[in-house]
PDB file of all heavy atoms in Angstrom:
ATOM      1  N   PHE X  61     282.751  72.896 117.631  1.00 98.00           N
ATOM      2  CA  PHE X  61     284.100  73.432 117.853  1.00 98.00           C
ATOM      3  C   PHE X  61     284.083  74.239 119.074  1.00 98.00           C
ATOM      4  O   PHE X  61     283.139  74.681 119.647  1.00 98.00           O
ATOM      5  CB  PHE X  61     284.600  74.151 116.676  1.00 98.00           C
ATOM      6  CG  PHE X  61     283.727  75.209 116.082  1.00 98.00           C
ATOM      7  CD1 PHE X  61     283.664  76.492 116.616  1.00 98.00           C
ATOM      8  CD2 PHE X  61     282.699  74.939 115.072  1.00 98.00           C
ATOM      9  CE1 PHE X  61     282.811  77.480 116.098  1.00 98.00           C
ATOM     10  CE2 PHE X  61     281.880  75.826 114.562  1.00 98.00           C
ATOM     11  CZ  PHE X  61     281.970  77.126 115.026  1.00 98.00           C
ATOM     12  N   ARG X  62     285.432  74.338 119.639  1.00 98.00           N
ATOM     13  CA  ARG X  62     285.666  75.106 120.931  1.00 98.00           C
ATOM     14  C   ARG X  62     285.715  76.591 120.503  1.00 98.00           C
ATOM     15  O   ARG X  62     286.371  76.894 119.522  1.00 98.00           O
ATOM     16  CB  ARG X  62     286.989  74.556 121.471  1.00 98.00           C
ATOM     17  CG  ARG X  62     287.370  75.279 122.730  1.00 98.00           C
ATOM     18  CD  ARG X  62     288.619  74.657 123.423  1.00 98.00           C
ATOM     19  NE  ARG X  62     289.836  74.920 122.598  1.00 98.00           N
ATOM     20  CZ  ARG X  62     290.585  73.984 122.067  1.00 98.00           C
ATOM     21  NH1 ARG X  62     290.197  72.604 122.162  1.00 98.00           N
ATOM     22  NH2 ARG X  62     291.482  74.228 121.324  1.00 98.00           N
ATOM     23  N   VAL X  63     285.113  77.379 121.315  1.00 98.00           N
ATOM     24  CA  VAL X  63     285.281  78.781 121.152  1.00 98.00           C
ATOM     25  C   VAL X  63     285.831  79.522 122.371  1.00 98.00           C
ATOM     26  O   VAL X  63     285.087  79.880 123.323  1.00 98.00           O
ATOM     27  CB  VAL X  63     283.871  79.435 120.859  1.00 98.00           C
ATOM     28  CG1 VAL X  63     283.979  80.953 120.472  1.00 98.00           C
ATOM     29  CG2 VAL X  63     283.120  78.668 119.704  1.00 98.00           C
ATOM     30  N   PRO X  64     287.154  79.713 122.443  1.00 98.00           N
ATOM     31  CA  PRO X  64     287.697  80.240 123.607  1.00 98.00           C
ATOM     32  C   PRO X  64     287.750  81.800 123.499  1.00 98.00           C
ATOM     33  O   PRO X  64     288.043  82.291 122.364  1.00 98.00           O
ATOM     34  CB  PRO X  64     289.211  79.763 123.684  1.00 98.00           C
ATOM     35  CG  PRO X  64     289.426  79.397 122.236  1.00 98.00           C
ATOM     36  CD  PRO X  64     288.167  79.117 121.517  1.00 98.00           C
ATOM     37  N   TRP X  65     287.481  82.564 124.517  1.00 98.00           N
ATOM     38  CA  TRP X  65     287.575  84.019 124.436  1.00 98.00           C
ATOM     39  C   TRP X  65     287.905  84.560 125.820  1.00 98.00           C
ATOM     40  O   TRP X  65     287.756  83.882 126.800  1.00 98.00           O
ATOM     41  CB  TRP X  65     286.342  84.505 123.853  1.00 98.00           C
ATOM     42  CG  TRP X  65     285.002  84.154 124.568  1.00 98.00           C
ATOM     43  CD1 TRP X  65     284.375  83.004 124.521  1.00 98.00           C
ATOM     44  CD2 TRP X  65     284.405  85.015 125.684  1.00 98.00           C
ATOM     45  NE1 TRP X  65     283.312  82.993 125.396  1.00 98.00           N
ATOM     46  CE2 TRP X  65     283.240  84.192 126.048  1.00 98.00           C
ATOM     47  CE3 TRP X  65     284.546  86.225 126.186  1.00 98.00           C
ATOM     48  CZ2 TRP X  65     282.409  84.614 127.020  1.00 98.00           C
ATOM     49  CZ3 TRP X  65     283.719  86.625 127.258  1.00 98.00           C
ATOM     50  CH2 TRP X  65     282.573  85.910 127.614  1.00 98.00           C
ATOM     51  N   VAL X  66     288.278  85.820 125.873  1.00 98.00           N
ATOM     52  CA  VAL X  66     288.792  86.365 127.206  1.00 98.00           C
ATOM     53  C   VAL X  66     287.748  87.347 127.635  1.00 98.00           C
ATOM     54  O   VAL X  66     287.461  88.325 126.896  1.00 98.00           O
ATOM     55  CB  VAL X  66     290.161  87.127 126.967  1.00 98.00           C
ATOM     56  CG1 VAL X  66     290.662  87.549 128.365  1.00 98.00           C
ATOM     57  CG2 VAL X  66     291.192  86.082 126.510  1.00 98.00           C
ATOM     58  N   ASP X  67     287.176  87.239 128.821  1.00 98.00           N
ATOM     59  CA  ASP X  67     286.197  88.260 129.398  1.00 98.00           C
ATOM     60  C   ASP X  67     286.916  89.466 130.012  1.00 98.00           C
ATOM     61  O   ASP X  67     288.198  89.499 129.860  1.00 98.00           O
ATOM     62  CB  ASP X  67     285.272  87.478 130.456  1.00 98.00           C
ATOM     63  CG  ASP X  67     285.977  87.203 131.780  1.00 98.00           C
ATOM     64  OD1 ASP X  67     287.016  87.759 131.981  1.00 98.00           O
ATOM     65  OD2 ASP X  67     285.363  86.390 132.536  1.00 98.00           O
ATOM     66  N   ASP X  68     286.112  90.327 130.475  1.00 98.00           N
ATOM     67  CA  ASP X  68     286.607  91.721 130.796  1.00 98.00           C
ATOM     68  C   ASP X  68     287.458  91.592 132.076  1.00 98.00           C
ATOM     69  O   ASP X  68     288.239  92.541 132.442  1.00 98.00           O
ATOM     70  CB  ASP X  68     285.464  92.705 131.098  1.00 98.00           C
ATOM     71  CG  ASP X  68     284.814  93.215 129.784  1.00 98.00           C
ATOM     72  OD1 ASP X  68     285.591  92.985 128.661  1.00 98.00           O
ATOM     73  OD2 ASP X  68     283.843  93.803 129.741  1.00 98.00           O
ATOM     74  N   LYS X  69     287.398  90.478 132.758  1.00 98.00           N
ATOM     75  CA  LYS X  69     288.346  90.359 133.975  1.00 98.00           C
ATOM     76  C   LYS X  69     289.639  89.652 133.651  1.00 98.00           C
ATOM     77  O   LYS X  69     290.389  89.356 134.441  1.00 98.00           O
ATOM     78  CB  LYS X  69     287.607  89.524 135.055  1.00 98.00           C
ATOM     79  CG  LYS X  69     286.305  90.170 135.624  1.00 98.00           C
ATOM     80  CD  LYS X  69     285.805  89.450 136.772  1.00 98.00           C
ATOM     81  CE  LYS X  69     284.464  90.088 137.182  1.00 98.00           C
ATOM     82  NZ  LYS X  69     283.251  89.267 136.905  1.00 98.00           N
ATOM     83  N   GLY X  70     289.778  89.300 132.312  1.00 98.00           N
ATOM     84  CA  GLY X  70     290.997  88.691 131.960  1.00 98.00           C
ATOM     85  C   GLY X  70     290.916  87.154 132.051  1.00 98.00           C
ATOM     86  O   GLY X  70     291.809  86.404 131.740  1.00 98.00           O
ATOM     87  N   GLN X  71     289.613  86.691 132.349  1.00 98.00           N
ATOM     88  CA  GLN X  71     289.528  85.165 132.488  1.00 98.00           C
ATOM     89  C   GLN X  71     289.170  84.593 131.194  1.00 98.00           C
ATOM     90  O   GLN X  71     288.253  85.138 130.399  1.00 98.00           O
ATOM     91  CB  GLN X  71     288.352  84.976 133.418  1.00 98.00           C
ATOM     92  CG  GLN X  71     287.818  83.569 133.616  1.00 98.00           C
ATOM     93  CD  GLN X  71     288.848  82.567 134.256  1.00 98.00           C
ATOM     94  OE1 GLN X  71     289.471  83.026 135.241  1.00 98.00           O
ATOM     95  NE2 GLN X  71     289.101  81.498 133.720  1.00 98.00           N
ATOM     96  N   VAL X  72     289.732  83.402 130.762  1.00 98.00           N
ATOM     97  CA  VAL X  72     289.435  82.784 129.495  1.00 98.00           C
ATOM     98  C   VAL X  72     288.173  82.076 129.789  1.00 98.00           C
ATOM     99  O   VAL X  72     287.926  81.352 130.756  1.00 98.00           O
ATOM    100  CB  VAL X  72     290.532  81.818 129.249  1.00 98.00           C
ATOM    101  CG1 VAL X  72     290.164  80.926 128.009  1.00 98.00           C
ATOM    102  CG2 VAL X  72     291.817  82.555 128.978  1.00 98.00           C
ATOM    103  N   GLN X  73     287.179  82.236 128.874  1.00 98.00           N
ATOM    104  CA  GLN X  73     285.926  81.471 128.839  1.00 98.00           C
ATOM    105  C   GLN X  73     285.865  80.556 127.591  1.00 98.00           C
ATOM    106  O   GLN X  73     286.516  80.830 126.585  1.00 98.00           O
ATOM    107  CB  GLN X  73     284.754  82.401 128.669  1.00 98.00           C
ATOM    108  CG  GLN X  73     284.665  83.436 129.843  1.00 98.00           C
ATOM    109  CD  GLN X  73     284.152  82.859 131.095  1.00 98.00           C
ATOM    110  OE1 GLN X  73     283.654  81.792 131.172  1.00 98.00           O
ATOM    111  NE2 GLN X  73     284.441  83.528 132.251  1.00 98.00           N
ATOM    112  N   VAL X  74     285.170  79.397 127.793  1.00 98.00           N
ATOM    113  CA  VAL X  74     285.099  78.462 126.664  1.00 98.00           C
ATOM    114  C   VAL X  74     283.656  78.148 126.395  1.00 98.00           C
ATOM    115  O   VAL X  74     282.862  77.730 127.311  1.00 98.00           O
ATOM    116  CB  VAL X  74     285.869  77.172 127.000  1.00 98.00           C
ATOM    117  CG1 VAL X  74     285.829  76.122 125.841  1.00 98.00           C
ATOM    118  CG2 VAL X  74     287.338  77.378 127.236  1.00 98.00           C
ATOM    119  N   ASN X  75     283.251  78.323 125.110  1.00 98.00           N
ATOM    120  CA  ASN X  75     281.888  77.943 124.708  1.00 98.00           C
ATOM    121  C   ASN X  75     282.011  76.918 123.601  1.00 98.00           C
ATOM    122  O   ASN X  75     283.100  76.602 123.150  1.00 98.00           O
ATOM    123  CB  ASN X  75     281.075  79.190 124.240  1.00 98.00           C
ATOM    124  CG  ASN X  75     280.630  80.105 125.375  1.00 98.00           C
ATOM    125  OD1 ASN X  75     281.280  81.120 125.636  1.00 98.00           O
ATOM    126  ND2 ASN X  75     279.602  79.630 126.001  1.00 98.00           N
ATOM    127  N   ARG X  76     280.820  76.432 123.240  1.00 98.00           N
ATOM    128  CA  ARG X  76     280.788  75.325 122.184  1.00 98.00           C
ATOM    129  C   ARG X  76     280.082  75.968 120.988  1.00 98.00           C
ATOM    130  O   ARG X  76     279.055  76.606 121.109  1.00 98.00           O
ATOM    131  CB  ARG X  76     280.083  74.116 122.750  1.00 98.00           C
ATOM    132  CG  ARG X  76     280.125  73.027 121.789  1.00 98.00           C
ATOM    133  CD  ARG X  76     279.497  71.755 122.432  1.00 98.00           C
ATOM    134  NE  ARG X  76     280.525  71.107 123.288  1.00 98.00           N
ATOM    135  CZ  ARG X  76     280.231  69.886 123.777  1.00 98.00           C
ATOM    136  NH1 ARG X  76     279.079  69.318 123.712  1.00 98.00           N
ATOM    137  NH2 ARG X  76     281.157  69.271 124.442  1.00 98.00           N
ATOM    138  N   GLY X  77     280.738  75.881 119.729  1.00 98.00           N
ATOM    139  CA  GLY X  77     280.205  76.396 118.544  1.00 98.00           C
ATOM    140  C   GLY X  77     279.608  75.220 117.669  1.00 98.00           C
ATOM    141  O   GLY X  77     280.184  74.122 117.827  1.00 98.00           O
ATOM    142  N   PHE X  78     278.636  75.532 116.917  1.00 98.00           N
ATOM    143  CA  PHE X  78     278.048  74.471 115.999  1.00 98.00           C
ATOM    144  C   PHE X  78     277.768  75.093 114.596  1.00 98.00           C
ATOM    145  O   PHE X  78     277.376  76.233 114.430  1.00 98.00           O
ATOM    146  CB  PHE X  78     276.621  74.052 116.601  1.00 98.00           C
ATOM    147  CG  PHE X  78     276.691  73.493 117.836  1.00 98.00           C
ATOM    148  CD1 PHE X  78     276.518  74.316 119.076  1.00 98.00           C
ATOM    149  CD2 PHE X  78     276.814  72.162 118.082  1.00 98.00           C
ATOM    150  CE1 PHE X  78     276.542  73.896 120.266  1.00 98.00           C
ATOM    151  CE2 PHE X  78     276.754  71.611 119.484  1.00 98.00           C
ATOM    152  CZ  PHE X  78     276.656  72.502 120.579  1.00 98.00           C
ATOM    153  N   ARG X  79     277.943  74.247 113.572  1.00 98.00           N
ATOM    154  CA  ARG X  79     277.296  74.605 112.297  1.00 98.00           C
ATOM    155  C   ARG X  79     276.877  73.265 111.692  1.00 98.00           C
ATOM    156  O   ARG X  79     277.728  72.340 111.579  1.00 98.00           O
ATOM    157  CB  ARG X  79     278.361  75.262 111.428  1.00 98.00           C
ATOM    158  CG  ARG X  79     277.779  75.748 110.013  1.00 98.00           C
ATOM    159  CD  ARG X  79     276.851  76.967 110.213  1.00 98.00           C
ATOM    160  NE  ARG X  79     276.163  77.355 108.932  1.00 98.00           N
ATOM    161  CZ  ARG X  79     275.059  78.087 108.932  1.00 98.00           C
ATOM    162  NH1 ARG X  79     274.547  78.648 109.987  1.00 98.00           N
ATOM    163  NH2 ARG X  79     274.541  78.461 107.762  1.00 98.00           N
ATOM    164  N   VAL X  80     275.598  73.199 111.307  1.00 98.00           N
ATOM    165  CA  VAL X  80     275.197  71.966 110.660  1.00 98.00           C
ATOM    166  C   VAL X  80     274.803  72.373 109.205  1.00 98.00           C
ATOM    167  O   VAL X  80     273.948  73.154 108.991  1.00 98.00           O
ATOM    168  CB  VAL X  80     273.902  71.407 111.440  1.00 98.00           C
ATOM    169  CG1 VAL X  80     273.235  70.235 110.668  1.00 98.00           C
ATOM    170  CG2 VAL X  80     274.305  70.969 112.808  1.00 98.00           C
ATOM    171  N   GLN X  81     275.507  71.712 108.280  1.00 98.00           N
ATOM    172  CA  GLN X  81     275.225  71.916 106.794  1.00 98.00           C
ATOM    173  C   GLN X  81     274.198  70.751 106.519  1.00 98.00           C
ATOM    174  O   GLN X  81     274.687  69.640 106.273  1.00 98.00           O
ATOM    175  CB  GLN X  81     276.394  71.944 106.102  1.00 98.00           C
ATOM    176  CG  GLN X  81     277.301  73.192 106.488  1.00 98.00           C
ATOM    177  CD  GLN X  81     278.686  73.249 105.702  1.00 98.00           C
ATOM    178  OE1 GLN X  81     279.139  72.262 105.228  1.00 98.00           O
ATOM    179  NE2 GLN X  81     279.192  74.451 105.707  1.00 98.00           N
ATOM    180  N   PHE X  82     272.914  71.052 106.382  1.00 98.00           N
ATOM    181  CA  PHE X  82     271.948  69.953 106.215  1.00 98.00           C
ATOM    182  C   PHE X  82     271.760  69.414 104.812  1.00 98.00           C
ATOM    183  O   PHE X  82     271.866  68.301 104.523  1.00 98.00           O
ATOM    184  CB  PHE X  82     270.628  70.303 106.827  1.00 98.00           C
ATOM    185  CG  PHE X  82     270.154  69.316 107.762  1.00 98.00           C
ATOM    186  CD1 PHE X  82     269.940  69.469 109.115  1.00 98.00           C
ATOM    187  CD2 PHE X  82     269.642  68.101 107.185  1.00 98.00           C
ATOM    188  CE1 PHE X  82     269.537  68.526 110.026  1.00 98.00           C
ATOM    189  CE2 PHE X  82     269.146  67.056 108.136  1.00 98.00           C
ATOM    190  CZ  PHE X  82     269.116  67.262 109.482  1.00 98.00           C
ATOM    191  N   ASN X  83     271.456  70.325 103.930  1.00 98.00           N
ATOM    192  CA  ASN X  83     271.154  69.878 102.506  1.00 98.00           C
ATOM    193  C   ASN X  83     271.334  71.034 101.595  1.00 98.00           C
ATOM    194  O   ASN X  83     270.836  72.110 101.803  1.00 98.00           O
ATOM    195  CB  ASN X  83     269.606  69.437 102.427  1.00 98.00           C
ATOM    196  CG  ASN X  83     269.126  68.878 101.254  1.00 98.00           C
ATOM    197  OD1 ASN X  83     269.314  69.546 100.172  1.00 98.00           O
ATOM    198  ND2 ASN X  83     268.720  67.604 101.162  1.00 98.00           N
ATOM    199  N   ASN X  84     272.134  70.740 100.616  1.00 98.00           N
ATOM    200  CA  ASN X  84     272.400  71.851  99.559  1.00 98.00           C
ATOM    201  C   ASN X  84     271.955  71.440  98.085  1.00 98.00           C
ATOM    202  O   ASN X  84     272.584  71.853  97.210  1.00 98.00           O
ATOM    203  CB  ASN X  84     273.843  72.255  99.610  1.00 98.00           C
ATOM    204  CG  ASN X  84     274.760  71.203  99.088  1.00 98.00           C
ATOM    205  OD1 ASN X  84     274.403  70.043  98.824  1.00 98.00           O
ATOM    206  ND2 ASN X  84     276.106  71.600  98.927  1.00 98.00           N
ATOM    207  N   ALA X  85     270.853  70.709  98.110  1.00 98.00           N
ATOM    208  CA  ALA X  85     270.361  70.234  96.788  1.00 98.00           C
ATOM    209  C   ALA X  85     269.961  71.451  95.856  1.00 98.00           C
ATOM    210  O   ALA X  85     270.186  71.380  94.671  1.00 98.00           O
ATOM    211  CB  ALA X  85     269.109  69.242  96.894  1.00 98.00           C
ATOM    212  N   ILE X  86     269.389  72.545  96.401  1.00 98.00           N
ATOM    213  CA  ILE X  86     268.910  73.568  95.535  1.00 98.00           C
ATOM    214  C   ILE X  86     269.698  74.831  95.627  1.00 98.00           C
ATOM    215  O   ILE X  86     269.360  75.823  95.070  1.00 98.00           O
ATOM    216  CB  ILE X  86     267.430  73.793  95.844  1.00 98.00           C
ATOM    217  CG1 ILE X  86     267.169  74.404  97.270  1.00 98.00           C
ATOM    218  CG2 ILE X  86     266.551  72.647  95.510  1.00 98.00           C
ATOM    219  CD1 ILE X  86     265.685  74.826  97.431  1.00 98.00           C
ATOM    220  N   GLY X  87     270.784  74.795  96.490  1.00 98.00           N
ATOM    221  CA  GLY X  87     271.587  76.042  96.638  1.00 98.00           C
ATOM    222  C   GLY X  87     272.516  76.015  97.847  1.00 98.00           C
ATOM    223  O   GLY X  87     272.476  75.043  98.570  1.00 98.00           O
ATOM    224  N   PRO X  88     273.364  76.979  98.025  1.00 98.00           N
ATOM    225  CA  PRO X  88     274.348  77.018  99.151  1.00 98.00           C
ATOM    226  C   PRO X  88     273.590  76.876 100.467  1.00 98.00           C
ATOM    227  O   PRO X  88     272.461  77.422 100.571  1.00 98.00           O
ATOM    228  CB  PRO X  88     275.056  78.344  99.073  1.00 98.00           C
ATOM    229  CG  PRO X  88     274.610  78.994  97.743  1.00 98.00           C
ATOM    230  CD  PRO X  88     273.425  78.302  97.188  1.00 98.00           C
ATOM    231  N   TYR X  89     274.102  76.279 101.501  1.00 98.00           N
ATOM    232  CA  TYR X  89     273.512  76.147 102.724  1.00 98.00           C
ATOM    233  C   TYR X  89     273.229  77.592 103.276  1.00 98.00           C
ATOM    234  O   TYR X  89     274.007  78.538 103.041  1.00 98.00           O
ATOM    235  CB  TYR X  89     274.384  75.526 103.762  1.00 98.00           C
ATOM    236  CG  TYR X  89     274.959  74.159 103.322  1.00 98.00           C
ATOM    237  CD1 TYR X  89     276.211  74.095 102.839  1.00 98.00           C
ATOM    238  CD2 TYR X  89     274.105  73.018 103.295  1.00 98.00           C
ATOM    239  CE1 TYR X  89     276.765  72.845 102.449  1.00 98.00           C
ATOM    240  CE2 TYR X  89     274.615  71.861 102.906  1.00 98.00           C
ATOM    241  CZ  TYR X  89     275.911  71.772 102.508  1.00 98.00           C
ATOM    242  OH  TYR X  89     276.330  70.443 102.037  1.00 98.00           O
TER     243      TYR X  89
END
Side-chain angles (χ1 to χ4, degrees):
F61 48 91
R62 183 175 65 239
V63 188
W65 55 280
V66 182
D67 72 15
D68 284 347
K69 296 189 185 103
Q71 174 66 45
V72 176
Q73 301 286 345
V74 178
N75 286 99
R76 187 173 274 187
F78 301 89
R79 186 70 184 166
V80 172
Q81 298 179 336
F82 226 112
N83 184 299
N84 66 352
I86 62 168
Y89 306 104

